[in-house]
Amino acid sequence: AQSVTQLGSHVSVSEGALVLLRCNYSSSVPPYLFWYVQYPNQGLQLLLKYTTGATLVKGINGFEAEFKKSETSFHLTKPSAHMSDAAEYFCAVRAWSGGYQKVTFGTGTKLQVIP
Amino acid sequence: NAGVTQTPKFRVLKTGQSMTLLCAQDMNHEYMYWYRQDPGMGLRLIHYSVGEGTTAKGEVPDGYNVSRLKKQNFLLGLESAAPSQTSVYFCASSYARVADTQYFGPGTRLTVL
């Protein structure tokens, strides 16, 4: 079985504050993990992904995420929030399962940035 | 290079009507996907295709059909629309490896009255 849990459907931070969006996953095989961002009325855009190798992954717009196998987590962080970061963020896990790719998205976290 | 495009952007249907959503990609990707996005439920996979002429069911396939006659196009059909199919539909494409990035289209907002 494969699943993704994003803790907190809404997160509010002040401009300049740390952004932390949580993602926990379960997968019976080694997973590939992704974070996407969705701005209003737009499609999803890749922020970063973990495939193999270094567990700290850097993405676009100053975001990064750390893959922690022992905690089955892939939390997204940014040291200093900017107004333009207000959007919805989705964590996703992909893995081979039963001979085909299985993709599972979390339910999303809406980030509000307060001036 | 347009990436992934979707037609139409908006559509309103009456219950029982049919329609087809078109997805096109110009990146020569093998895999293509159709998702629906509903508030609080994230993205759910409807159908996907691993290559021309090959399609498979995803998580929520009931009420939808798909076809991939050409590598660059992936069609999603609703034969008899129901209000429960009111949603935003996203198409995506990727290369075949699990690690490859999915590229998403801008979405189609469908309302079924």
Side-chain angles (χ1 to χ4, degrees):
Chain A
Q2 179 176 293
S3 66
V4 176
T5 302
Q6 290 185 239
L7 293 175
S9 58
H10 291 80
V11 171
S12 294
V13 300
S14 298
E15 190 175 15
L18 171 72
V19 176
L20 171 60
L21 304 183
R22 299 178 186 274
C23 173
N24 288 89
Y25 71 92
S26 71
S27 177
S28 56
V29 297
Y32 295 86
L33 298 161
F34 301 77
W35 273 102
Y36 289 88
V37 61
Q38 184 181 32
Y39 299 102
N41 300 314
Q42 294 187 26
L44 278 70
Q45 176 185 1
L46 181 71
L47 270 179
L48 50 80
K49 63 181 178 181
Y50 169 78
T51 55
T52 58
T55 57
L56 182 61
V57 180
K58 295 187 184 298
I60 62 172
N61 301 338
F63 284 93
E64 61 182 37
E66 187 170 10
F67 171 60
K68 293 187 176 180
K69 185 177 179 180
S70 61
E71 299 177 9
T72 61
S73 68
F74 191 55
H75 301 331
L76 181 70
T77 61
K78 182 175 180 177
S80 177
H82 191 273
M83 295 300 295
S84 61
D85 294 327
E88 190 161 18
Y89 293 81
F90 292 92
C91 181
V93 58
R94 289 169 72 183
W96 285 107
S97 176
Y100 70 99
Q101 282 191 33
K102 187 171 172 62
V103 182
T104 304
F105 282 83
T107 53
T109 298
K110 284 189 178 177
L111 177 65
Q112 180 187 21
V113 181
I114 303 167
Chain B
N1 189 341
V4 179
T5 59
Q6 293 183 231
T7 308
K9 288 185 169 53
F10 302 92
R11 186 71 186 266
V12 177
L13 290 178
K14 294 181 179 178
T15 298
Q17 288 184 320
S18 64
M19 76 163 294
T20 300
L21 307 183
L22 170 64
C23 175
Q25 53 95 4
D26 60 3
M27 296 173 281
N28 203 34
H29 287 161
E30 294 92 349
Y31 278 52
M32 296 187 74
Y33 315 77
W34 275 109
Y35 293 91
R36 60 178 290 173
Q37 183 179 30
D38 302 291
M41 301 189 75
L43 275 75
R44 292 181 292 169
L45 183 63
I46 304 171
H47 287 280
Y48 65 99
S49 169
V50 302
E52 186 176 320
T54 304
T55 63
K57 294 180 180 180
E59 183 183 353
V60 289
D62 294 342
Y64 305 95
N65 56 76
V66 289
S67 65
R68 190 155 177 213
L69 300 179
K70 294 183 179 181
K71 186 176 184 179
Q72 64 268 33
N73 295 337
F74 194 28
L75 304 179
L76 178 71
L78 286 73
E79 290 186 347
S80 179
S84 60
Q85 294 177 304
T86 294
S87 187
V88 181
Y89 291 85
F90 287 99
C91 176
S93 69
S94 73
Y95 289 114
R97 297 177 307 169
V98 176
D100 290 325
T101 299
Q102 287 180 298
Y103 293 86
F104 284 81
T108 295
R109 186 172 295 274
L110 174 66
T111 301
V112 182
L113 303 176

